[in-house]
Amino acid sequence: MYQRADRDDRQRPQALGIESDLESSRGNPAFHGLVGSPDESDHDHDDSTDHVALLYEDCDEQFSAVIPFVRHGLERGERCLYIADENDRADVLSAMREYGIDVDDALESGALSVVTPADTYRRTGEFDRDAMVRFWEESLAEATEEDDFTGIRAAAEMTWALNDGDTDLDHLVEYEAILNSIYEGEPYAVCCQYNRERFPADVIYEVIRTHPLLVHDGVVSRNVYYTPPAEFFSPDLPAREVERMTTTLRERTIGNAALERATERFQKIFERSQDAIFINDPYADEILEANPAGCEIWGTPTRNCSSSGRRTAIPTRWRRSASSSTPSSRRRPAGRTS
């Protein structure tokens, strides 16, 4: 059941946290990959916000990313708003039910609303970016100050901008850039959904530049191509972009070199350790790989424990087993060699 947060439990004003969604997605089976981690930063993201661009090519890819995003907000006590355009309201609600959301309860409590662009982006009759900024500010105030929700979470299908031919896509991109200033430090989390099959490539390019987080093909990425508003609207944009791009390239090169060294060091430890080491998939509860000492525990010849053979070297009866299930009595003495 989705309930509003008790007033004593709320912490406002507070941003919902760019890292929180990366972390929630990390353990979510709907996402089959994750680029970046909450402890890493490819470049300065101090002015980043929870402003996500979802790039998708079909409905399955779209819903597999956006519905968990909405569900996470409901679980956090946020008011969630879904703006449907490409999909019918009934189809959106059906997908939410399939992903385990108690839709009836969420709608009844006011925690969830599924609306159309006519209620939001075109509520004045046409797209007006200033009117939409006021809409978000008013919605946040109503949700947090009047109705005791912890924040606003929105998921918007952006295909409405293509439907009438009257919306200037350049103005839409500028609106996306402006939102980063509006959202900064405030409890908003917004996922803008762009269909790559329908939007021109030059628009998608600008969408990538104006969102700190990207979701594509099930991968959540901290966006190294994000351009903060002050830079996006700066008259000396090319010079600032060159500086940022070269800095990012340098930092990524240094980071990758450090990662390679750490990987080599771990591989040596893994191969040479006299203690059994098992690499386990925590979601499938399955052992994926074992080092030579681990293979010996299972009675498998060490020669079968090459990098390409370890998976098959583990007896079938042990493949679906948490690493913690290894009997301690079978651990090799520290002084024993292979």
Side-chain angles (χ1 to χ4, degrees):
M1 183 174 183
Y2 303 107
Q3 298 178 338
R4 299 165 183 164
D6 293 336
R7 184 172 297 273
D8 292 341
D9 293 335
R10 290 181 290 132
Q11 297 180 355
R12 294 188 285 107
Q14 180 181 357
L16 298 180
I18 193 169
E19 286 81 5
S20 65
D21 279 315
L22 286 169
E23 270 302 311
S24 67
S25 300
R26 181 190 299 277
N28 195 319
F31 297 96
H32 59 259
L34 177 67
V35 177
S37 73
D39 297 325
E40 297 173 350
S41 178
D42 291 304
H43 67 280
D44 188 358
H45 278 280
D46 290 342
D47 50 1
S48 295
T49 62
D50 278 359
H51 190 197
V52 185
L54 167 60
L55 307 180
Y56 65 94
E57 298 177 7
D58 57 53
C59 185
D60 289 341
E61 182 181 3
Q62 176 188 15
F63 282 160
S64 69
V66 73
I67 302 302
F69 175 84
V70 172
R71 184 177 61 194
H72 184 56
L74 292 170
E75 293 169 351
R76 288 168 56 108
E78 300 161 13
R79 170 170 283 170
C80 295
L81 177 69
Y82 192 103
I83 304 172
D85 179 74
E86 190 172 25
N87 297 288
D88 293 335
R89 183 177 188 273
D91 292 336
V92 172
L93 294 176
S94 177
M96 289 182 178
R97 290 188 176 95
E98 291 178 3
Y99 277 85
I101 295 177
D102 188 339
V103 168
D104 295 333
D105 180 73
L107 292 171
E108 182 179 356
S109 68
L112 174 66
S113 298
V114 180
V115 298
T116 68
D119 304 309
T120 52
Y121 293 101
R122 293 201 186 106
R123 63 177 184 155
T124 62
E126 61 183 5
F127 174 60
D128 183 331
R129 72 184 189 188
D130 294 330
M132 273 308 297
V133 168
R134 289 194 298 272
F135 170 81
W136 291 121
E137 292 173 338
E138 293 166 2
S139 297
L140 178 63
E142 179 183 351
T144 58
E145 296 174 11
E146 299 178 21
D147 295 335
D148 290 343
F149 288 98
T150 58
I152 285 284
R153 180 168 295 234
E157 297 179 357
M158 303 302 292
T159 45
W160 60 266
L162 302 172
N163 293 340
D164 60 8
D166 294 334
T167 301
D168 187 323
L169 295 181
D170 288 337
H171 289 170
L172 175 64
V173 169
E174 291 176 359
Y175 161 77
E176 293 280 29
I178 290 171
L179 289 183
N180 293 305
S181 298
I182 303 301
Y183 296 155
E184 185 177 355
E186 297 290 345
Y188 292 100
V190 179
C191 178
C192 304
Q193 306 169 62
Y194 285 88
N195 188 332
R196 289 192 64 189
E197 297 296 310
R198 297 186 59 184
F199 279 91
D202 58 336
V203 174
I204 297 297
Y205 170 80
E206 297 295 344
V207 166
I208 292 173
R209 293 180 64 217
T210 53
H211 290 77
L213 278 175
L214 292 179
V215 182
H216 178 246
D217 195 24
V219 178
V220 184
S221 305
R222 183 178 287 105
N223 184 10
V224 298
Y225 303 111
Y226 168 61
T227 305
E231 183 176 327
F232 187 87
F233 293 106
S234 173
D236 60 343
L237 174 59
R240 297 185 66 169
E241 280 205 323
V242 167
E243 180 64 26
R244 177 172 54 81
M245 292 168 67
T246 54
T247 299
T248 298
L249 179 61
R250 177 179 179 275
E251 291 177 351
R252 287 178 64 85
T253 301
I254 293 174
N256 287 338
L259 179 60
E260 289 178 3
R261 290 194 296 271
T263 300
E264 292 175 0
R265 182 171 180 271
F266 170 78
Q267 189 64 36
K268 290 179 180 178
I269 294 173
F270 184 79
E271 297 282 354
R272 301 174 183 177
S273 175
Q274 298 181 53
D275 291 325
I277 299 176
F278 301 96
I279 297 177
N280 195 63
D281 182 342
Y283 304 115
D285 192 28
E286 184 176 8
I287 294 176
L288 302 178
E289 192 171 356
N291 70 340
C295 288
E296 189 170 332
I297 281 183
W298 307 126
T300 302
T302 303
R303 64 178 179 275
N304 292 339
C305 287
S306 63
S307 296
S308 60
R310 289 191 190 103
R311 177 65 181 83
T312 56
I314 301 172
T316 303
R317 68 183 183 278
W318 289 109
R319 289 182 189 169
R320 291 191 55 80
S321 173
S323 58
S324 59
S325 65
T326 304
S328 58
S329 60
R330 300 185 69 177
R331 180 178 176 181
R332 298 180 59 200
R336 184 175 174 182
T337 59
S338 298

